[in-house]
């Protein structure tokens, strides 16, 4: 066996590690990850965090100890030699956020690691299969230059995308080849005619004045003995293209450039590198222009076959220009890349006008269309993209505002041509195709679905088909908007990382997908966008020259809510530590601006409960609601800061923020709370936030909840909440003893409701409750997205209360979970599954008359408090036996229609009788 194997084949060698050491039928170790990623390359963390998942068919299994080996080669690891780190046997149940404490590897060098554990009985498991990570490259080690096209091109126009190439020779066998690549712009790399990796839109969006990400690729299988050619296409993207609603290109600059280092390690251990410099060649090819907002134009007649192969003759190509390097540092991308994940075939084709063909995918997506067409050379096929149709069947594009979203393909004249763009994306369900000489077939358009590659962790299903469609819409909304940053929408001239949307939806997002790495990356964008005096921006990355777009209540507070949520869901205290100073600057700014503890100053664009259906009776009432909301969020921030301080062991900070919460709470009560329990500026959201944020005296909570119910009834048993209030509405109703009211809101299909949009064809969450109504048609096209995830924050309640999977209020990361399904809404069954960082949690129930069955799964190394719905005095069985005597269960109490048990890990099947 060779001393080194290239990375894509390493896992085959790793299998030699499996089965080493004493065996245990009780526990196996799987799911090894480093910094939330599976086998990541080029990470910046010198001491990364490791995690693993334990599996067992036994009940009540736990980890009592672990041992980690880390080695500099797969062979050493297979021989149980941890030359980089041998943790020894560590008496601990920790299997998440375990810090690497071995020798710091050099840049680019892989670290191979594996784990074994000891179970509750002291039995030793087999070694896990091996995993690996590699360190990123330091700034001084690039030894490459930033290059771009020649400087004669006009930077103010949208230029063609340049194609770069570099030929080189390899004269001895290579055991490892790694490409490091970054750009001011977007890159698509290839080697010897083969595309490298599956990433799109790399190196992804950051504030290019603060940091620029790079990607790392193992390209060992693509290297040849003899001649080679590295090719890179350079696009505009976020750096130089249109961003948001800005009317001009070049938010960060107008001249795209790239930097590359291809590092080759020979069998004898010697290293050479191919780097970007003034010897590279470039040419303009078939991409005439490409922009996220405007679309892409491609002339297939200008293609250069073999341009990225060593045999290609590039003598007519120009020499690349060496350009000034950026002041911002290069950093490794810490999150999963954006990739194409799904394809959707067109469901139907219509012809609303002669020669105008409209393809319906049946699903609103973010991505682009791959087309299959034929015709004479020079034929111009034009594609337009839309989420909805006009009454006459034509595409509705007025809500796109200034985003043209037009792709154009000019045929070269082959019998059949297949094309898809490289550097643009759209939000759409419908594709209009014009310009073909004959009617195309249904297979002429295929939807290509693009989003960040956060792993799927959740699923939900119930007996109500409309609610199942709602959950599908929530998931598709997350797919379409979690693209490098959590955008608001993927279709119009905006697509920004709005903070309010993100903080409202993050808890739902964590159920659907593992977004730990995604939000770790984005929180750095959030801090980069913070003003010197502490104001968080409305969007992150920040749009420049918009001073009023900061410090907004419910939006800026994402700087507190997001790290707190990542800590609660994943047990991640490092994200709190990393951003603690930033969060304190925000809190200090709020107190400086509002010394009387009512947050009424420096509210800037104060959006309030954005897109609430409550009509403002007058400016005074609207203003009261906005000041109330701002003060409520400030109190909430203080409460979360106290909890995070406690988690970090910061006793003084805990006391400071706990006292601040109490002071703001007291000021709120004096300012807004009336003696009879009514609240100034009252609305459903005012009542909901007062209850959820714990701003009320205990003896007022029930009365305020009654007023909330009265308001819902006054509105015909409908909600009136906007972005801010909707997340907490159903949870508060459930917490206060009104789950049936929450179910009523969930089941509604009349305006305003989730069901109303679904009844009218929604396949994603709409931005507005009234995006389209039977009475008025389309809302104001100036702001009317049909793929906006914010109002889908009810997904949190679907998991936590309908399926019944939630965090324990005192224990983070689902180390202890709460299983408590709320039966109601006329549902006869519901089921949720969630892949926590410790493993799968599942809760499913079925109702047959008053007979309930309930299946629960709790991961190894965790516990749960399980609430089994059961009428007072009803018997509860588990797998046919009295539950109180079942293995792994301990009866705690009967409470409010539930039999409550403490449970260890394992699978459980309960049966009981419920009160109808």
């Amino acid at each position: 066996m060779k001393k080194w194997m290239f990375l894509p084949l390493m896992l085959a060698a790793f299998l030699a590690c499996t089965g080493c050491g004493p065996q245990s039928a009780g526990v196996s170790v799987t799911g090894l990850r480093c910094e939330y990623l599976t086998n990541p390359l080029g990470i910046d963390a010198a001491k990364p965090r490791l995690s693993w998942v334990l599996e067992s068919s036994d009940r009540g299994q736990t980890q009592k100890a672990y041992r980690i080996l880390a080695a500099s080669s797969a062979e050493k690891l297979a021989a149980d030699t941890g030359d980089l780190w041998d943790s020894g046997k560590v008496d601990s149940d920790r299997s998440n956020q375990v810090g690497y404490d071995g020798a710091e590897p050099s840049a680019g060098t892989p670290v191979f690691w594996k784990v074994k554990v000891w179970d509750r009985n002291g039995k030793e498991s087999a070694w896990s299969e091996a995993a690996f990570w590699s360190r990123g490259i330091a700034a001084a080690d690039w030894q490459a230059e930033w290059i771009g096209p020649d400087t004669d091109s006009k930077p103010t126009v949208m230029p063609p995308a340049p194609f770069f190439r570099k030929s080189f020779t390899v004269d001895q066998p290579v055991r490892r080849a790694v490409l490091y690549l970054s750009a001011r712009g977007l890159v698509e790399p290839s080697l010897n005619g083969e595309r490298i990796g599956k990433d799109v839109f790399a190196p992804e969006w950051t504030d290019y004045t603060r940091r620029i990400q790079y990607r790392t690729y193992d390209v060992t299988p693509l290297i040849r003995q003899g001649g080679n050619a590295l090719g890179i296409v350079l696009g505009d993207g976020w750096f130089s293209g249109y961003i948001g609603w800005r009317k001009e290109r070049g938010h960060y600059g107008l001249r795209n450039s790239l930097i590359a280092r291809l590092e080759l390690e020979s069998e004898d251990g010697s290293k050479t590198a191919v780097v970007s410099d003034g010897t590279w060649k470039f040419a303009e090819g078939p991409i005439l222009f490409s922009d996220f907002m405007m679309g892409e134009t491609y002339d297939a007649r200008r293609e250069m076959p073999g341009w990225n192969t060593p045999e290609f003759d590039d003598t007519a190509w120009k020499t690349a220009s060496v350009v000034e390097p950026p002041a911002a540092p290069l950093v490794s991308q810490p999150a999963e890349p954006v990739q194409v994940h799904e394809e959707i075939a067109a469901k139907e084709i219509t012809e609303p006008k002669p020669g105008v063909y409209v393809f319906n995918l049946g699903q609103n997506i973010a991505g682009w269309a791959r087309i299959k067409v034929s015709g004479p050379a020079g034929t111009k096929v034009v594609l337009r993209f839309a989420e909805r149709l006009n009454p006459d069947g034509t595409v509705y594009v007025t809500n796109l505002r200034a985003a043209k979203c037009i792709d154009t393909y000019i045929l070269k004249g082959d019998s059949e041509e297949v094309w898809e763009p490289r550097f643009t994306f759209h939000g759409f369900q419908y594709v209009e195709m014009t310009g073909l000489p004959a009617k195309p077939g249904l297979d002429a358009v295929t939807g290509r679905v693009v989003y960040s590659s956060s792993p799927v962790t959740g699923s939900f299903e119930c007996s109500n088909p409309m609610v199942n469609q709602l959950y599908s819409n929530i998931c598709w909304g997350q797919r379409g908007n979690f693209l490098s940053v959590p955008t608001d929408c993927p279709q119009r001239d905006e697509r920004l990382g709005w903070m309010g949307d993100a903080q409202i939806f993050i808890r739902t997002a964590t159920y659907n997908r593992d977004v730990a790495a995604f939000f770790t990356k984005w929180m750095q964008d959030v801090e980069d966008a913070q003003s010197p005096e502490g104001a968080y921006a409305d969007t992150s990355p920040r749009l420049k020259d918009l001073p009023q777009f900061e410090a907004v209540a419910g939006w800026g507070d994402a700087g507190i809510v997001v790290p707190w949520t990542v800590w609660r869901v994943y047990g991640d205290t490092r994200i709190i530590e990393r951003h603690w100073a930033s969060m304190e600057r925000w809190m200090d700014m709020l107190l400086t601006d509002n010394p009387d503890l009512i947050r009424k100053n420096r509210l800037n664009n104060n959006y309030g409960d954005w897109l609430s259906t409550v009509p403002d009776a007058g400016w005074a009432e609207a203003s009261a609601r906005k000041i109330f909301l701002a003060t409520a969020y400030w109190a909430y921030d203080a409460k979360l800061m106290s909890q995070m301080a406690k988690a970090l062991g910061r006793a003084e900070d805990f006391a400071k923020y706990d006292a601040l919460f109490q002071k703001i709470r007291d000021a709120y009560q004096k300012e807004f709370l009336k003696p009879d329990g009514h609240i100034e500026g009252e609305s459903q959201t005012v009542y909901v936030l007062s209850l959820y944020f714990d701003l009320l005296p205990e003896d007022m909570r029930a009365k305020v909840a009654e007023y909330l119910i009265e308001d819902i009834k006054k509105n015909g048993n409908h909600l009136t909440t906007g972005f801010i209030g909707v997340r907490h509405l159903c949870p508060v109703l459930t917490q206060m003893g009104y789950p049936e009211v929450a179910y009523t809101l969930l089941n509604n299909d009349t305006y305003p409701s989730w069901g109303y949009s679904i009844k009218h064809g929604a396949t994603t969450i709409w931005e507005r409750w009234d995006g389209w109504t039977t009475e008025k048609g389309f809302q104001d096209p100036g702001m009317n997205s049909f793929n906006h995830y914010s109002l889908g924050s009810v997904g949190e309640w679907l998991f936590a209360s309908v399926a019944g999977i939630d965090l324990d209020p005192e224990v983070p990361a689902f180390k202890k979970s709460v299983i408590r399904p709320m039966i109601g809404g006329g549902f006869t069954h519901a089921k949720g599954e969630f892949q926590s960082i410790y493993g799968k949690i599942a809760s499913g129930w079925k109702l047959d008359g008053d007979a309930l069955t309930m299946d629960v799964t709790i991961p190894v190394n965790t516990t749960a408090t399980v609430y089994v719905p059961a009428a007072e005095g009803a018997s509860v069985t588990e797998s046919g036996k009295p539950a109180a005597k079942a293995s792994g269960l301990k009866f705690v109490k009967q409470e409010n229609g539930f039999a409550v048990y403490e449970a260890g890990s394992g699978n459980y099947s309960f049966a009981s009788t419920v009160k109808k």
Side-chain angles (χ1 to χ4, degrees), residues 9 628 786 871 885:
L9 297 185
F628 160 83
F786 293 95
K885 298 181 179 180

Side-chain angles (χ1 to χ4, degrees), residues 330-576:
L330 286 169
V331 298
S332 176
Q333 179 173 313
E336 298 92 349
V338 175
Q339 294 181 345
V340 176
H341 290 281
E342 297 163 66
E343 292 187 355
I344 298 181
K347 303 298 186 293
E348 64 175 347
I349 180 174
T350 58
E351 191 177 2
K353 295 181 179 180
V356 177
Y357 305 102
V358 176
F359 295 79
N360 180 6
L361 300 182
Q363 175 63 56
N364 198 0
I365 67 169
W368 57 75
R370 184 179 64 210
I371 61 173
K372 183 169 64 174
V373 294
S374 59
T379 300
K380 184 180 292 186
V381 178
V382 178
L383 308 176
R384 293 200 301 165
F385 300 84
E387 298 180 290
R388 305 280 288 181
L389 297 179
N390 291 309
D392 64 357
T394 58
V395 291
Y396 171 72
V397 296
T398 53
N399 69 325
L400 302 180
R401 304 191 305 211
K404 293 181 179 179
C405 301
I406 297 175
D407 291 348
T408 302
Y409 178 73
I410 303 172
L411 275 67
K412 57 189 171 186
D414 285 356
S415 59
E416 181 177 271
E417 301 179 37
V418 178
W419 173 79
E420 59 187 299
R422 282 184 172 96
F423 301 125
T424 191
F425 73 96
H426 316 288
F428 67 100
Q429 179 173 330
Y430 300 93
V431 182
E432 177 195 88
M433 179 182 287
T434 58
L436 282 175
K439 182 176 180 177
L442 189 61
D443 64 347
V445 166
T446 300
R448 299 272 278 168
V449 185
V450 180
Y451 50 88
S452 289
S453 305
S454 304
V456 174
T457 51
S459 64
F460 174 87
E461 185 271 334
C462 69
S463 58
N464 185 326
M466 185 275 287
V467 176
N468 291 336
Q469 183 63 50
L470 170 61
Y471 181 65
S472 174
N473 292 4
I474 292 168
C475 292
W476 276 103
Q478 184 169 342
R479 285 184 181 98
N481 284 293
F482 277 38
L483 195 157
S484 187
V485 304
T487 63
D488 57 327
C489 59
Q491 76 294 101
R492 68 187 182 214
D493 60 339
E494 195 160 348
R495 313 183 193 187
L496 300 171
W498 282 97
M499 299 269 281
D501 306 50
Q503 69 92 2
I504 282 297
F505 189 76
I506 183 174
R507 189 64 185 88
T508 294
T510 60
Y511 276 118
N512 296 334
R513 291 180 176 270
D514 184 339
V515 291
F518 180 86
F519 278 109
T520 296
K521 180 268 179 188
W522 187 63
M523 269 308 300
Q524 190 59 63
D525 297 329
V526 170
E527 183 168 337
D528 285 347
Q530 189 177 23
S531 73
E533 63 269 35
Y536 287 122
D538 294 3
T539 65
S540 297
R542 173 190 282 263
L543 288 182
K544 298 177 183 177
D545 307 322
L546 294 171
Q548 74 274 24
F549 280 75
E550 65 179 24
V552 171
W555 273 252
D557 305 282
I560 306 296
V561 175
V562 169
W564 178 84
T565 305
V566 172
W567 160 61
R568 286 284 293 146
V569 173
Y570 303 105
D572 187 343
T573 55
R574 186 176 291 183
I575 195 169
I576 305 173

Side-chain angles (χ1 to χ4, degrees), residues 2-63:
K2 297 178 180 179
K3 183 180 180 182
W4 285 78
M5 302 289 290
F6 53 78
L7 297 179
L9 297 185
M10 284 177 177
L11 290 178
F14 294 165
L15 295 177
C17 299
T18 305
C20 303
Q23 298 291 309
S24 169
V27 175
S28 59
V29 186
T30 186
L32 274 64
R33 296 195 300 166
C34 172
E35 289 296 314
Y36 300 116
L37 306 174
T38 300
N39 298 331
L41 297 178
I43 65 173
D44 280 342
K47 300 288 186 180
R49 296 161 296 172
L50 311 176
S51 68
W52 54 90
V53 172
L54 303 177
E55 296 180 353
S56 176
S57 59
D58 300 338
R59 285 188 179 177
Q61 270 291 10
T62 59
Q63 172 188 295

Side-chain angles (χ1 to χ4, degrees), residues 233-244:
V233 188
L234 181 62
D236 288 359
W238 295 283
F239 179 77
S240 60
Y242 289 95
I243 290 181

Side-chain angles (χ1 to χ4, degrees), residues 139 142 146 182 206-214 326-332:
W142 279 83
W146 285 84
S182 186
T206 56
D207 182 337
Y208 294 86
T209 67
R210 301 297 300 274
R211 69 194 68 244
I212 302 174
Q213 296 183 148
Y214 68 87
L330 286 169
V331 298
S332 176

